[in-house]
Amino acid sequence: GAGVSQTPSNKVTEKGKYVELRCDPISGHTALYWYRQSLGQGPEFLIYFQGTGAADDSGLPNDRFFAVRPEGSVSTLKIQRTERGDSAVYLCASSRQGHGTEAFFGQGTRLTVV
Amino acid sequence: GQQVMQIPQYQHVQEGEDFTTYCNSSTTLSNIQWYKQRPGGHPVFLIQLVKSGEVKKQKRLTFQFGEAKKNSSLHITATQTTDVGTYFCADSGGSNYKLTFGKGTLLTVNP
């Protein structure tokens, strides 16, 4: 596609439920990132993939968060036992290589935990 | 970890006025990237600064990287209503991939 695609655009879930957020990066981009953005804040780094492997997952807040990219393209961010504090916009970005090159962000998934 | 401070948090201007946002760090910045996020939108890359003292221009936008690489600025000349949005600076740190964003400066423009 022309840009980074994220689905769903909005997700409302009950506290304690499991959610999956999907990211479809720009074709040919080997680097993929997940960020989380709360209201009035800048994006906060969660995890970085280079190809299929998670090169850096140091930003994941705890073990309820997990992300995969099994074929080096589409990535899924998985959140178990959601909490109200997980409510935020989850942004995915991709770039040709690492962040030394321009990162292209998707429109984000707005997650609301009620 | 690396912290990037941005000021001001908000700026309201009349159309045609100039605007500047500043990005500061207590430690040396690696590469600075600037992004613009329209209300309800996603961050869009504007530019990357790498060298000490670097100045880059994009039409009415001027980006500077401080000599000591501890600060950066974005200046917009003669603002237009299309400039409305939040401007973020982000440092890539030594990793060259993990961006640390400032909190951003929200610019509103009165037509």
Side-chain angles (χ1 to χ4, degrees):
Chain A
V4 178
S5 176
Q6 289 188 248
T7 54
S9 54
N10 280 284
K11 176 71 177 177
V12 180
T13 190
E14 291 181 348
K15 178 176 177 292
K17 297 290 188 183
Y18 168 82
V19 296
E20 288 190 352
L21 312 179
R22 175 189 168 106
C23 173
D24 203 336
I26 292 172
S27 178
H29 281 192
T30 59
L32 184 146
Y33 322 82
W34 284 98
Y35 285 81
R36 176 169 71 174
Q37 186 173 26
S38 300
L39 194 61
Q41 304 292 317
E44 173 192 17
F45 172 82
L46 295 177
I47 188 169
Y48 159 64
F49 288 90
Q50 183 59 255
T52 60
D56 186 340
D57 64 358
S58 62
L60 295 177
N62 51 61
D63 61 8
R64 295 186 297 106
F65 289 74
F66 188 70
V68 295
R69 194 186 184 197
E71 298 178 357
S73 179
V74 171
S75 176
T76 305
L77 178 65
K78 308 180 181 192
I79 310 175
Q80 298 178 321
R81 304 183 304 281
T82 50
E83 300 177 356
R84 292 196 177 87
D86 298 335
S87 297
V89 175
Y90 289 81
L91 294 164
C92 177
S94 71
S95 65
R96 284 195 182 87
Q97 299 168 29
H99 257 309
T101 54
E102 175 180 351
F104 295 82
F105 281 83
Q107 290 284 1
T109 294
R110 180 175 299 279
L111 175 66
T112 304
V113 182
V114 297
Chain B
Q2 174 74 296
Q3 282 198 327
V4 177
M5 312 300 290
Q6 262 189 273
I7 53 171
Q9 192 174 356
Y10 307 99
Q11 184 77 58
H12 179 74
V13 300
Q14 289 293 127
E15 190 172 22
E17 293 181 339
D18 292 356
F19 160 76
T20 305
T21 174
Y22 300 90
C23 182
N24 300 295
S25 173
S26 58
T27 57
T28 303
L29 300 164
S30 299
N31 303 330
I32 278 288
Q33 296 186 3
W34 284 92
Y35 288 81
K36 177 183 178 182
Q37 186 172 25
R38 293 181 183 273
H42 59 281
V44 174
F45 176 85
L46 295 176
I47 210 155
Q48 176 169 267
L49 303 173
V50 177
K51 300 177 184 175
S52 166
E54 191 169 14
V55 178
K56 288 187 176 179
K57 293 191 176 184
Q58 289 179 351
K59 298 182 180 178
R60 294 179 295 104
L61 277 60
T62 301
F63 303 85
Q64 293 191 347
F65 205 179
E67 292 290 343
K69 297 185 75 172
K70 288 190 175 181
N71 56 76
S72 180
S73 65
L74 158 58
H75 179 82
I76 302 178
T77 303
T79 54
Q80 300 174 359
T81 54
T82 53
D83 296 326
V84 164
T86 301
Y87 292 85
F88 292 99
C89 64
D91 177 47
S92 65
S95 71
N96 206 37
Y97 63 82
K98 182 193 301 186
L99 290 177
T100 300
F101 282 81
K103 289 189 174 183
T105 296
L106 172 60
L107 171 65
T108 54
V109 180
N110 205 30

